[in-house]
């Protein structure tokens, strides 16, 4: 019933089992199951109370320590979560779940070396063991730990990413247990991080498969909502977030998603308010705090940004997420020099995060600095050769280098001379005629030539502006670059 999303029925069944148990061991096992139902519906504190009310023998159960660690992590009590994860490992040296959780928390707190040490166990399992356990939960946890170890240590990431997706996760949900939706969600999350959102063989298909098993998965709805946000389909973002919160009103990723959406919509006060809802459950939620800082940066409230940075640094003094979100936000309001500094800080704090480099490269593209964009995107591709957004933009840069360039006194026109021969001189002549009118209206002379990029296809234009060829816009100005379809 839990796997199928009937959480209330599952909770009642576990409580019946707990009441009729013949031993402390059975009572503890049933109590852990009941707490798991409460976690899935956002009753984190009642779940923790239930776990702590179990018989004293609970201290000898690795599963109990792991369940407590997961709830403490959701509440932001990270030190206590680490203690319980370590206790679970001491009690069961073969279990993957507490090791995955320990590495995840340490990484979240910026304790990179400690996280690598925790994840190294997974690397040894994959490299040294002749055979792996045939258990869907173990394979799913091991997939996460092995992937993060490989990413943090930059170890053969291309081959290992494929191994994680095919040999571990696909094996878990297709061969070992077709009802084990966490494996489907894990695969979908990994594909979405690489912008592989195909509806037949990408993150969308995996989220849909998980929802066919269990239609009450806030994790899947938020994943689909994040994809909708990438497509600027704000109405679908609202629907997916509302569905997730209808299942679990305390589900922090749903509030994060809505805060991201509000920043995109330039509704900054609402973004702060949405992030605050996540902080009611976990006052140490680094993404929620970072989203508030990003929203405040967009209205130039530096005092508020500084206060939020201090709160974040008290939890994680090297929080790459903070600076990546600040880079996204300030780049979105065309404060490119500030955005550049934030992205570089994010890369300094997490040199293995390909997405920070990709976003830096995209920002350079909007700034009109293609050489810097190439360097940043090449660095991202070296870290993650499966990131489709990076691939699309590198492909566009290759075509841009072949563009003809026509310069006049105030403009540089870049265009595809094979598709639109002679366009540069025609466009430049018109622009020079209107230049005095436009600059006169604003009583300003521009310091640099304005770059005009004319793309022969809408797909190329969409990639140029957003890295997303499906965005249906007509023209865009990003700083000193004006781009349009021919």
């Amino acid at each position: 019933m839990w796997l199928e999303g009937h959480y209330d029925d599952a909770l009642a069944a576990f409580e019946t089992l707990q009441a009729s148990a013949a031993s402390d061991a059975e009572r503890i096992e049933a109590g852990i199951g009941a707490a798991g139902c409460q976690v899935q519906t956002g009753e984190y504190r009642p779940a923790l109370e239930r776990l702590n009310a179990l018989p004293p023998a609970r201290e000898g159960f690795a599963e109990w320590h792991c369940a407590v660690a997961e709830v403490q992590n959701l509440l932001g009590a990270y030190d206590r979560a680490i203690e319980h994860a370590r206790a679970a490992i001491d009690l069961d040296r073969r279990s993957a779940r507490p090791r995955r959780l320990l590495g995840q928390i340490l990484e979240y707190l910026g304790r990179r070396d400690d996280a690598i040490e925790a994840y190294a166990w997974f690397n040894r399992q994959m490299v040294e063991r002749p055979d792996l356990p045939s258990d869907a939960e173990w394979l799913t946890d091991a997939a996460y730990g092995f992937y993060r170890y490989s990413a943090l240590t930059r170890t053969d990431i291309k081959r290992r990413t494929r191994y994680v997706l095919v040999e571990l996760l696909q094996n878990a949900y297709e061969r070992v247990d077709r009802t084990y939706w966490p494996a489907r969600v894990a695969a979908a999350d990994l594909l979405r991080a690489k912008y592989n959102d195909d509806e037949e063989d990408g993150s969308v298909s995996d989220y849909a498969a998980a929802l066919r098993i269990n239609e009450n998965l806030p994790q899947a709805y938020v994943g689909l909502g994040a994809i909708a946000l990438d497509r600027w389909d704000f109405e679908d973002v609202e629907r997916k977030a509302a569905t997730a919160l209808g299942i679990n009103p305390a589900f922090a990723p749903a509030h994060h998603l809505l805060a991201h959406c509000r920043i995109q919509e330039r509704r900054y006060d609402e973004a702060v308010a949405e992030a605050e809802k996540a902080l009611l459950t976990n006052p140490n939620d680094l993404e929620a705090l970072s989203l508030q800082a990003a929203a405040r940066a967009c209205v130039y409230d530096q005092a508020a940004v500084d206060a939020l940075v201090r709160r974040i640094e008290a939890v994680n003094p090297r929080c790459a997420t903070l600076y990546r979100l600040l880079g996204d936000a300030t780049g979105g309001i065309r404060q490119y020099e500030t955005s550049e500094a934030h992205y570089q800080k994010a890369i300094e704090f997490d040199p293995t995060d390909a997405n920070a480099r990709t976003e830096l490269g995209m920002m350079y593209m909007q700034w009109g600095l293609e050489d810097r964009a190439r360097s940043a995107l090449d660095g991202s591709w070296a870290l993650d050769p499966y990131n489709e957004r990076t691939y699309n933009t590198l492909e566009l840069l290759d075509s841009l280098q072949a563009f003809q360039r026509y310069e006049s006194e105030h403009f540089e026109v870049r265009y595809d001379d094979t598709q639109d021969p002679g366009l540069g001189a025609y466009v430049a002549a018109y622009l020079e005629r209107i230049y005095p009118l436009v600059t006169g209206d604003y009583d300003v002379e521009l310091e640099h030539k304005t770059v005009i990029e004319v793309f022969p296809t809408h797909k190329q234009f969409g990639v140029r502006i957003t890295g997303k060829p499906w965005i249906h816009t007509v023209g865009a100005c990003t700083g000193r670059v004006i781009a349009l379809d021919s």
Side-chain angles (χ1 to χ4, degrees):
M1 287 189 286
W2 183 88
L3 281 169
E4 293 179 359
H6 307 302
Y7 305 123
D8 290 342
D9 292 339
L11 176 59
F14 278 123
E15 287 178 336
T16 299
L17 288 167
Q18 191 173 355
S20 61
S23 67
D24 280 353
E26 289 181 2
R27 271 187 286 278
I28 291 166
E29 185 177 358
I32 292 169
C37 298
Q38 292 176 297
V39 166
Q40 199 64 5
T41 56
E43 298 177 77
Y44 303 145
R45 294 191 186 281
L48 185 60
E49 290 170 5
R50 180 186 294 273
L51 290 166
N52 287 331
L54 291 172
R58 65 183 186 259
E59 297 285 348
F61 284 74
E63 295 86 350
W64 179 81
H65 284 285
C66 201
V68 172
E70 288 179 341
V71 179
Q72 295 283 26
N73 183 46
L74 291 168
L75 295 172
Y78 303 123
D79 289 343
R80 275 175 277 174
I82 289 171
E83 289 174 9
H84 283 284
R86 292 193 188 279
I89 293 169
D90 290 340
L91 288 165
D92 185 353
R93 308 298 296 179
R94 296 173 295 177
S95 180
R97 183 179 167 201
R99 294 178 187 273
R100 183 266 304 162
L101 182 61
L102 176 62
Q104 190 176 0
I105 298 170
L106 292 169
E107 189 177 354
Y108 187 77
L109 298 177
R111 295 167 58 178
R112 178 190 179 83
D113 292 342
D114 292 338
I116 290 173
E117 183 180 347
Y119 290 137
W121 181 85
F122 295 101
N123 187 64
R124 291 194 296 273
Q125 301 303 301
M126 300 302 133
V127 174
E128 298 174 7
R129 287 186 67 156
D131 59 337
L132 299 176
S134 56
D135 173 82
E137 180 182 308
W138 193 96
L139 291 170
T140 302
D141 288 323
Y144 183 92
F146 182 58
Y147 177 77
R148 291 311 303 159
Y149 176 85
S150 304
L152 290 173
T153 60
R154 305 185 187 184
T155 303
D156 197 8
I157 192 65
K158 182 175 183 179
R159 187 173 64 87
R160 288 181 172 212
T161 300
R162 180 171 179 78
Y163 180 82
V164 164
L165 285 167
V166 176
E167 301 299 331
L168 297 179
L169 295 175
Q170 189 174 348
N171 184 34
Y173 65 68
E174 282 195 348
R175 300 183 185 89
V176 177
D177 185 352
R178 289 180 176 271
T179 70
Y180 193 67
W181 56 259
R184 280 284 191 181
V185 171
D189 288 345
L190 182 53
L191 290 167
R192 180 168 60 85
K194 301 174 185 308
Y195 297 92
N196 180 352
D197 297 323
D198 191 84
E199 294 186 4
E200 295 183 2
D201 190 26
S203 66
V204 173
S205 63
D206 277 324
Y207 285 131
L211 288 170
R212 284 194 293 272
I213 301 167
N214 177 351
E215 65 180 3
N216 291 314
L217 284 180
Q219 299 92 329
Y221 289 111
V222 167
L224 291 169
I227 294 165
L229 184 59
D230 278 339
R231 295 172 176 168
W232 295 357
D233 186 349
F234 301 138
E235 291 182 358
D236 196 35
V237 173
E238 299 280 352
R239 287 191 292 269
K240 295 297 191 297
T243 303
L245 291 170
I247 300 163
N248 179 346
F251 195 59
H255 293 302
H256 299 162
L257 173 63
L258 288 171
H260 279 286
C261 187
R262 299 293 178 260
I263 290 174
Q264 288 266 44
E265 296 171 311
R266 308 289 195 265
R267 295 157 64 181
Y268 302 119
D269 287 343
E270 292 178 42
V272 170
E274 202 61 56
E276 190 63 32
K277 294 175 184 177
L279 293 168
L280 292 175
T281 298
N282 176 358
N284 297 316
D285 184 328
L286 295 178
E287 183 160 358
L289 292 167
S290 298
L291 284 162
Q292 288 190 333
R296 293 305 188 199
C298 290
V299 294
Y300 306 99
D301 186 349
Q302 192 58 45
V305 173
D306 292 343
L308 286 159
V309 169
R310 287 193 293 271
R311 283 183 66 181
I312 292 166
E313 289 180 342
V315 179
N316 178 353
R318 298 179 59 82
C319 185
T321 298
L322 164 66
Y323 291 99
R324 186 163 61 82
L325 292 180
L326 284 171
D328 292 345
T330 51
I333 58 172
R334 312 307 178 202
Q335 301 299 307
Y336 293 131
E337 289 185 6
T338 303
S339 176
E340 178 186 38
H342 288 317
Y343 281 136
Q344 288 173 342
K345 194 82 168 178
I347 292 167
E348 176 192 343
F349 284 169
D350 186 358
T352 63
D353 180 15
N355 280 323
R357 285 180 165 82
T358 296
E359 297 303 328
L360 176 62
M362 289 299 304
M363 185 275 293
Y364 281 142
M365 289 285 286
Q366 295 183 19
W367 203 355
L369 304 175
E370 277 85 3
D371 289 345
R372 292 191 198 178
R374 166 72 71 177
S375 177
L377 291 163
D378 281 343
S380 175
W381 189 249
L383 289 171
D384 183 2
Y386 286 106
N387 190 306
E388 293 198 5
R389 191 175 184 192
T390 308
Y391 175 82
N392 288 338
T393 311
L394 284 169
E395 191 177 51
L396 176 70
L397 275 170
D398 290 339
S399 64
L400 267 177
Q401 288 184 336
F403 271 26
Q404 186 73 23
R405 302 192 177 202
Y406 185 94
E407 292 198 44
S408 61
E409 183 180 357
H410 298 106
F411 298 94
E412 179 182 329
V413 183
R414 303 172 184 175
Y415 63 102
D416 188 336
D417 195 45
T418 63
Q419 300 293 318
D420 300 306
L423 188 65
Y426 173 81
V427 170
Y430 170 73
L431 291 170
E432 289 294 350
R433 286 201 302 274
I434 67 169
Y435 180 86
L437 299 174
V438 174
T439 56
D441 282 343
Y442 293 94
D443 191 25
V444 66
E445 285 290 324
L446 301 179
E447 296 179 6
H448 304 284
K449 290 185 178 182
T450 301
V451 177
I452 311 294
E453 294 181 347
V454 188
F455 294 92
T457 69
H458 183 74
K459 177 180 178 181
Q460 287 177 305
F461 164 75
V463 173
R464 172 65 180 83
I465 298 303
T466 65
K468 306 163 187 174
W470 55 85
I471 298 297
H472 298 292
T473 48
V474 178
C477 171
T478 60
R480 71 186 192 99
V481 178
I482 298 173
L484 64 158
D485 292 355
S486 62

